[in-house]
Amino acid sequence: MSRAPVMQPGSWRTDQTSSTKRGYGYAWQKARAGYLRSHPLCVYCLRDPAYAPIRDMAPSTAILRCAELGLAAPMASVVDHIEPHRGDQVLFWNKANWQSLCGTHHSADKQREEAAHRRGE
């Protein structure tokens, strides 16, 4: 299986604009940290049947229950935009469009889904 390119030619991501100018500056870092404090678990990891017993628990309870079950808590490290914002600052800051993902799911599964969507699959 070939890897789908993460950045398409002509994408808003491929220009020479800094990440800060694209919206990922101090305000984003602060908002991201707050969101991850409130939503610390990866929503894609929670799809795994092994995590069914903790899906509806408060995050702090879920993390403790994972330890009791001998599971690694599915901790998120990325705040992902569910619908790619493509530079649209209204969509960028819409918290209803945010989800917590671990680095693995953000870099692999989410990118694969976005590539499939671009291809119309």
Side-chain angles (χ1 to χ4, degrees):
M1 176 187 328
S2 66
R3 281 185 49 136
V6 174
M7 294 185 281
Q8 299 294 316
S11 166
W12 66 273
R13 292 178 179 170
T14 60
D15 67 16
Q16 298 301 311
T17 306
S18 71
S19 60
T20 300
K21 288 185 179 175
R22 290 193 322 264
Y24 294 98
Y26 178 71
W28 169 253
Q29 296 305 321
K30 198 168 151 185
R32 174 193 167 279
Y35 190 83
L36 288 173
R37 271 192 304 278
S38 300
H39 305 86
L41 304 176
C42 174
V43 298
Y44 280 34
C45 287
L46 290 174
R47 294 176 181 173
D48 186 308
Y51 292 107
I54 68 159
R55 273 192 206 121
D56 297 323
M57 293 180 176
S60 58
T61 305
I63 292 166
L64 291 173
R65 185 72 179 126
C66 280
E68 293 169 1
L69 295 171
L71 295 170
M75 302 305 292
S77 58
V78 177
V79 175
D80 175 65
H81 293 90
I82 298 166
E83 179 184 338
H85 59 84
R86 298 191 184 2
D88 177 339
Q89 290 297 295
V90 173
L91 191 54
F92 182 95
W93 289 106
N94 180 357
K95 289 183 182 178
N97 190 41
W98 296 0
Q99 64 184 349
S100 298
L101 297 179
C102 66
T104 300
H105 279 121
H106 183 259
S107 297
D109 298 331
K110 179 65 191 285
Q111 301 305 320
R112 194 170 26 260
E113 287 174 9
E114 287 183 10
H117 180 73
R118 283 191 299 272
R119 291 190 308 267
E121 295 175 5

